[in-house]
Amino acid sequence: MNTDFILESTDGTKKSIADFKGKNLVLYFYPKDNTSVCTLQANGFAELYDEFQKYDTEIVGISKDTIKSHLKFKEKQNLPFELLADPDREVHKNFDVLKNGKMYGKDVIKTVRSTFVFDKDSNLVKEFRAVNGRENPQEVLDFIKTL
């Protein structure tokens, strides 16, 4: 799996895995800004953000939404971490978080809610796939505490 990327961030810069070297990184993929479970998950990470910081860990969310959408979502939910835009879903493909599905009778490609943890040397150390958005932030924090 190719874990490197360069994506536009809500802080106005372009980000890659290398930008987080020296810290643990929680990279979570979610389907869509301002939807119920995605909002629950983002708020769960936001509520635990200070705890993650104690373990020298940064959180970053990625979806196919645009930066404009991300900025509104981040502001509305008061998220303390950055969101990255992957509208072409290239990074989604690299992390294998897309699956075929149906929505309103039409064939669609869906994002499988998944979280990846990188250590301070930017090595992928844990994958959480097809996660429960409500429970995921706490299970990831519990894992971070073991690093």
Side-chain angles (χ1 to χ4, degrees):
M1 171 174 28
N2 176 8
T3 60
D4 201 21
F5 59 80
I6 297 175
L7 290 175
E8 193 175 354
S9 172
T10 47
D11 71 0
T13 67
K14 298 219 184 256
K15 295 279 190 219
S16 72
I17 291 285
D19 291 317
F20 300 96
K21 196 167 177 103
K23 288 188 163 213
N24 298 311
L25 173 63
V26 172
L27 192 64
Y28 79 97
F29 288 82
Y30 65 98
K32 189 154 180 53
D33 292 341
N34 291 304
T35 55
S36 58
V37 178
C38 295
T39 300
L40 270 175
Q41 185 180 25
N43 286 331
F45 278 120
E47 288 167 17
L48 296 172
Y49 188 73
D50 290 341
E51 276 295 303
F52 279 101
Q53 294 286 284
K54 288 179 189 172
Y55 292 90
D56 211 15
T57 301
E58 196 50 63
I59 299 165
V60 175
I62 297 181
S63 81
K64 68 183 183 302
D65 295 300
T66 64
I67 280 296
K68 185 176 178 183
S69 174
H70 279 345
L71 287 167
K72 287 179 184 173
F73 183 51
K74 184 177 167 156
E75 182 179 345
K76 182 178 180 184
Q77 299 303 323
N78 198 27
L79 302 178
F81 50 85
E82 300 307 321
L83 301 175
L84 304 180
D86 185 24
D88 298 331
R89 297 191 197 179
E90 287 304 315
V91 178
H92 283 66
K93 289 175 196 160
N94 289 346
F95 279 81
D96 194 27
V97 296
L98 297 175
K99 72 171 184 178
N100 292 321
K102 293 254 186 214
M103 187 177 288
Y104 307 115
K106 293 184 178 179
D107 290 330
V108 295
I109 298 173
K110 295 183 173 189
T111 299
V112 179
R113 190 181 309 281
S114 303
T115 303
F116 300 86
V117 179
F118 295 83
D119 67 13
K120 293 178 182 183
D121 293 317
S122 302
N123 297 309
L124 180 61
V125 293
K126 180 75 172 165
E127 299 179 21
F128 296 86
R129 293 191 175 266
V131 301
N132 177 307
R134 182 177 277 117
E135 297 167 2
N136 184 237
Q138 185 63 56
E139 72 181 345
V140 173
L141 179 60
D142 291 346
F143 175 75
I144 290 290
K145 289 177 178 180
T146 71
L147 290 181

